Each structure stands twice: as structure tokens, then as C-alpha cells.
Amino acid sequence: MSVRHTLFAMAAIAATALGASAASGQTLRYANQGELKSLDPYTLNESTTHAHLGQAYEGLIARDKDLKIIPALAESWETPEPTRWRFHLRHGVKFHNGDPFTADDVVFSADRVRALGSDLRAYVAADVKVVKVDDYTVDFVLTKPNPILHSLWATWYIMDRKWCEENNATAPTPVAATTPSYASLHENGTGPFTIESHQPGIKTVFKAFPGWWRKPEHNLKEIVFTPIGNEATRVAALLSGEVDIIEPVPLQDIARVNASQNAQVLSGPEVRTIFLGMDQARDELLYSNIKGKNPFKDIRVREAFYKAIDVEAIKTRVMRGLSTPSALMVAPELYPLSKDFVRPKADPEAAKKLLTEAGYPGGFEVSMDCPNDRYVNDAAICQAVVGMLARIGVKVDLVAQPKALYFGKILKAGGYKTSFYLLGWTPGTLDSHNTMDQIMGCRDDPNVSRGEANVAGYCNKEFDKLTDQVLQEGDAAKRDLLIKQAFEIAIKDYGYIPLHQQALAWGISKKLKVVQRADNQVLPYWMVKQEE
């Protein structure tokens, strides 16, 4: 699926007297609202974590400043037949410990990323055979054609087989792990930076790797990442010069940052969709006062929740106008027929009638899980939802917690332990199929990777059939129509409640030149800092 070039054009803020050279060696101080828990690149399929670890690790492919696929650890690739992809690996690449990068590492990484405990199992399907042709050639043999096989692989980072075996790290570290593994506390990638020290939740220090195979576009000697959850503290650190870049800037502080002498806000559209999900899989909800049945299995209850949520009010009151309400589970920039879908206005009275028809005239109680340090105003959005549902008689117990705890609970590794939740998703392929397959696909077959992130347990077999057709259809127009049919099914099912696409808001020192991509990955390997 093509993406408008203008959306992903490089957004750069140049210092007035930049003059910094690649040899000058600057320290970049970066703060984010969330922490970096694990250094294992297969622990958490989350874009901020991918961005952090992408300073140290690399994939077979990468994405450039416009989010286009470019060669990385693979120099080139071809499809000699529809069900075989051949990747020619880059020669002369070394891991940070000096081990050579070869095909053995790719085959090993393909097995590891699909192993139990990995949050990235969908990146390489279980039925794909990964075959070493020679030391620098690897074949991926498929059971059916997949024209976008490699589109996820910019964040499938290749690991050193020898290093993993020597350090008892051949198995991925689950997101819900209570004991850290060696790979969760150490790294050995091929990327532009090594990780000198990692204190989970406190500080991570990256050092420039002099043996990187690619010519650096940054001038950094080190990156010091510090999580700062408190919004006021994070903004104060930027304005005082204590840090050089923060993400995100609280919406209420954008004007103040832009009015300062030494910092400004870099903003733009993001292709992440924020949405609500309801557990439709269990026969009885884990966290509700309704026993013996699951209200969300009734389409009338799901429709009632949908109609109770006022996305325009969330936009104006919570997001301060910096969001785009959505009728779909993908951003309009990623799907050209999105204009054919119009989200109906909120209708609390209709929602009350639906609950009564479903047998809940007085509503019911349910818990809602929400991160408080992952998305823009995430906890505030959830609080607004709580108030909106109260108007139709639904009492919501809000459980808002840091993303490390939140993801460890609700994702697959935690057993999908939630009844009602808020989540955000950027399709790693920048294509509707990824959302259809991973978020909306049935998760009822343990032998396939479909539905790995389908926390709600939504399942419609006709939807899945269309998803499979979308993957193999090479004609763009026909493919778009198949996607439309699938989304129409999901909308009629009220399988999810899409809310909006949030806006990017990075606070940046005027000493920095920064590239901002619409996937919201903060990538220091493209940053240049003025000499201090």
C-alpha cells in the first residue's frame, strides 16, 4: 500500500549555527514518558521499544526517512518463484563483540523470534522454512505467496547465534517475565551504538560503535536515555537544557515550549490508531460483576459501548484538537478507501436502549485496563471513556498503570488478562493487512501466528478469509476492495471501537537537527547536535 510521500517527508529542525561534524562527538540526552524494560529485541512488539533497540540492533531490511524499505543486513533480495524469497546478506558485518554476521544468525533469529515467549512471532510465520543456502544467502520458503513478506522486518532484529548460545539466551524473554535474562540486560547487535549500561526504569547509556558497517549520519558519541513519567518534570528538563529531546510533549505545554528560547515542538501526523477492545472470547469476563456469562458476546452490548463513546468530545476536551477521529482500525493515510467510511455520531440514548434489550437495563460493572505512560493522554482518554459509559449505566473500574505492567498483563504472554482495554497500533508493514491479521484475526489456532495481538479475541472466519486473500492479491484496486469488504464485516460486528490517530509532539532543543517519521520512532542515529 503506497503512503503519501508528503506525510513522510523529512521533518528537520536545523540549528542556526549547526556546524557540528561527525567527528565532534556530542552527548544526546533523551527522555520519554515510558521506560525501557528489556534489551531482548523479541520481548515486546512496541514501536518505542523498537526505536530504542534499533540503535543497537538491525534487521535484514530498514526503513528510510520516508519510511520506504531499503537494504540493511541484506544487500538485496529476489523472489525466484512465488513461494521463495532469497536474501543475499551483507559481507564484512561484525556484531559488537566481534563475531561475524552470517546466514547462521538469520536462521537462528528466525527460530528464536517464533519461539514461545516472543512477542514478535507473527514476523516470520510458523509455516515458513528458513534455509541456509550458503554463508551469505538465505531462502525463505513459503506455503503460499506473500508479496509483503519482508515489510515487517525493519524491526525484526537479527541476533548473534554464538553469543546467545554462550550466554544461555537462545529462548526469548517473555514480556511478563519476573526474572531478567542475560539478553534482557545485555545486547550484542550490529547497529550504530552499543549499550554500555542498562538500569531498567532508571537509565540506559548508548555509545557510538566505531566498527559500524555504515557511514554514520549522526555526530553523537553517546546517548543517555532517562524515563521521566511526570509530565511537568519532563518539560522542565527540556526547558532547562537538562535533556535535548523529550517525547511526548504534553498537549497543554506545546505553546510554552514553543515560546521558550532554547526549545521548540516538532509536530506532525502519526499513523498509529488508538482504540478500545472488549473481551469477546471468554464465557465469563475476568473482571465484572456479571457471572456465568460474558456481556460482550452480545453484539448489542458492543454496539452500546460504541455508541456511548463520543470521539469528538475526546478530540476537543482531552486531545486539545490534536487527534483525528477514526471510523477504521487503520489511519486514512494507509488506506485510500478510508474516505468511504463515516463514523456515526455518539448516541447515549440509543446505547441505553441496546443495553436494556440485551438484558442489562441498569448497566453492569467492568474493569478497564489502560497504560498511563505509553500514548498521548492515554490515562485521560480512559478517564473520559469511564465518564461516557457512566451515562449509560455502566460502572467502569479504571486500572491505569505503567506500560511494562500493562503490556505484561494484557498481551499474549500475560494470558490476555483483561476485560476491557485501550491500545494503540501502528501496522509495522504500513499496510491494512497487518492490522487485519494481528489485531482483528481469530486467535483460535495455536499453530498459526494470526491474532497474536488480538487481545479482544474478536473472531469472524469470513473476515479471516478476506484477510488471506488481501495478502496474496497483487492488483491494488482489487486488494483495496477486499480490505473494504473485511472492514465492513468488522464494523457490523462492532468488534472494536476505533478512537483516533494521535498527533506527534516532540520537544527538541534548538541545538538539534532531527528527523521525525510518522511511525513516531525517535531515532538518534539520524540526529546532529550543535557543539556545546
Side-chain angles (χ1 to χ4, degrees), residues 181-505:
S181 67
Y182 188 87
S184 72
L185 296 175
H186 305 82
E187 66 82 19
N188 185 39
T190 60
F193 293 87
T194 62
I195 295 180
E196 181 183 66
S197 62
H198 174 58
Q199 299 169 275
I202 302 174
K203 184 171 70 172
T204 304
V205 178
F206 300 76
K207 295 287 186 179
F209 177 49
W212 191 36
W213 58 270
R214 181 176 286 173
K215 182 179 179 181
E217 295 183 53
H218 67 85
N219 72 330
L220 307 176
K221 66 179 180 182
E222 66 177 359
I223 307 163
V224 180
F225 166 68
T226 307
I228 303 179
N230 183 274
E231 293 183 342
T233 303
R234 194 165 64 248
V235 172
L238 174 69
L239 297 181
S240 69
E242 182 181 345
V243 298
D244 304 300
I245 179 169
I246 66 171
E247 191 279 318
V249 176
L251 301 182
Q252 67 271 18
D253 290 316
I254 288 177
R256 183 159 69 100
V257 173
N258 280 331
S260 69
Q261 293 184 345
N262 64 338
Q264 52 193 313
V265 175
L266 182 60
S267 61
E270 185 181 14
V271 292
R272 182 190 317 279
T273 298
I274 306 297
F275 63 91
L276 302 175
M278 302 156 282
D279 177 7
Q280 299 154 58
R282 292 181 174 86
D283 292 329
E284 178 180 301
L285 292 178
L286 291 177
Y287 311 107
S288 173
N289 67 330
I290 303 298
K291 303 303 177 185
K293 61 179 178 178
N294 178 350
F296 290 134
K297 284 183 176 288
D298 191 322
I299 190 173
R300 294 170 295 185
V301 174
R302 301 197 300 272
E303 183 179 356
F305 271 54
Y306 188 105
K307 290 185 173 178
I309 307 304
D310 188 340
V311 293
E312 293 294 337
I314 291 174
K315 175 182 178 179
T316 56
R317 299 173 190 172
V318 181
M319 301 300 290
R320 296 176 181 248
L322 294 176
S323 67
T324 304
S326 180
L328 295 178
M329 291 289 285
V330 294
E333 294 83 4
L334 302 182
Y335 180 49
L337 299 187
S338 61
K339 61 184 181 298
D340 294 347
F341 294 86
V342 178
R343 186 191 181 96
K345 293 183 179 179
D347 192 342
E349 291 305 315
K352 288 180 183 178
K353 291 179 181 178
L354 285 163
L355 282 183
T356 299
E357 292 173 9
Y360 306 98
F364 58 91
E365 299 176 13
V366 66
S367 290
M368 179 183 190
D369 289 291
C370 183
N372 60 14
D373 63 353
R374 177 60 192 95
Y375 312 114
V376 177
N377 282 0
D378 42 16
I381 294 169
C382 291
Q383 289 166 358
V385 168
V386 170
M388 292 170 183
L389 290 172
R391 292 187 297 178
I392 67 169
V394 176
K395 182 180 178 181
V396 178
D397 176 24
L398 178 59
V399 181
Q401 55 187 340
K403 67 178 184 180
L405 297 173
Y406 168 77
F407 286 130
K409 176 185 179 183
I410 75 155
L411 295 181
K412 182 175 182 177
Y416 304 116
K417 292 188 178 70
T418 184
S419 297
F420 181 45
Y421 62 95
L422 176 140
L423 191 61
W425 188 261
T426 301
T429 57
L430 301 181
D431 183 276
S432 296
H433 176 269
N434 177 256
T435 299
M436 295 165 65
D437 182 73
Q438 287 302 291
I439 293 290
M440 307 173 76
C442 296
R443 68 177 200 219
D444 56 351
D445 186 347
N447 297 315
V448 299
S449 60
R450 190 197 306 274
E452 286 282 304
N454 182 356
V455 179
Y458 168 71
C459 183
N460 185 307
K461 295 297 184 180
E462 186 61 31
F463 182 94
D464 284 355
K465 289 178 182 178
L466 288 166
T467 300
D468 291 341
Q469 292 176 45
V470 166
L471 182 62
Q472 299 179 58
E473 179 56 64
D475 183 286
K478 292 180 180 178
R479 194 172 189 270
D480 285 343
L481 289 175
L482 290 170
I483 293 170
K484 184 175 182 179
Q485 291 179 44
F487 282 152
E488 287 172 343
I489 289 172
I491 287 172
K492 289 177 181 178
D493 286 343
Y494 292 95
Y496 287 92
I497 305 174
L499 297 179
H500 59 244
Q501 285 81 43
Q502 63 189 24
L504 301 178

Side-chain angles (χ1 to χ4, degrees), residues 51-72:
H52 285 308
L53 298 182
Q55 308 309 304
Y57 284 98
E58 295 174 297
L60 295 179
I61 63 108
R63 289 194 180 267
D64 67 9
K65 297 166 186 175
D66 297 330
L67 282 171
K68 295 177 181 176
I69 292 175
I70 58 173

Side-chain angles (χ1 to χ4, degrees), residues 47-120:
S47 58
T48 300
T49 298
H50 290 323
H52 285 308
L53 298 182
Q55 308 309 304
Y57 284 98
E58 295 174 297
L60 295 179
I61 63 108
R63 289 194 180 267
D64 67 9
K65 297 166 186 175
D66 297 330
L67 282 171
K68 295 177 181 176
I69 292 175
I70 58 173
L73 293 181
E75 291 183 321
S76 63
W77 49 87
E78 72 245 6
T79 51
E81 53 191 89
T83 56
R84 182 183 298 269
W85 283 65
R86 173 160 292 176
F87 287 81
H88 302 281
L89 308 183
R90 194 173 298 278
H91 292 245
V93 175
K94 301 283 188 181
F95 287 96
H96 294 155
N97 70 348
D99 289 344
F101 160 68
T102 70
D104 290 332
D105 303 306
V106 177
V107 175
F108 166 77
S109 296
D111 290 337
R112 191 179 191 273
V113 80
R114 294 182 285 186
L116 187 64
S118 168
D119 197 37
L120 282 69

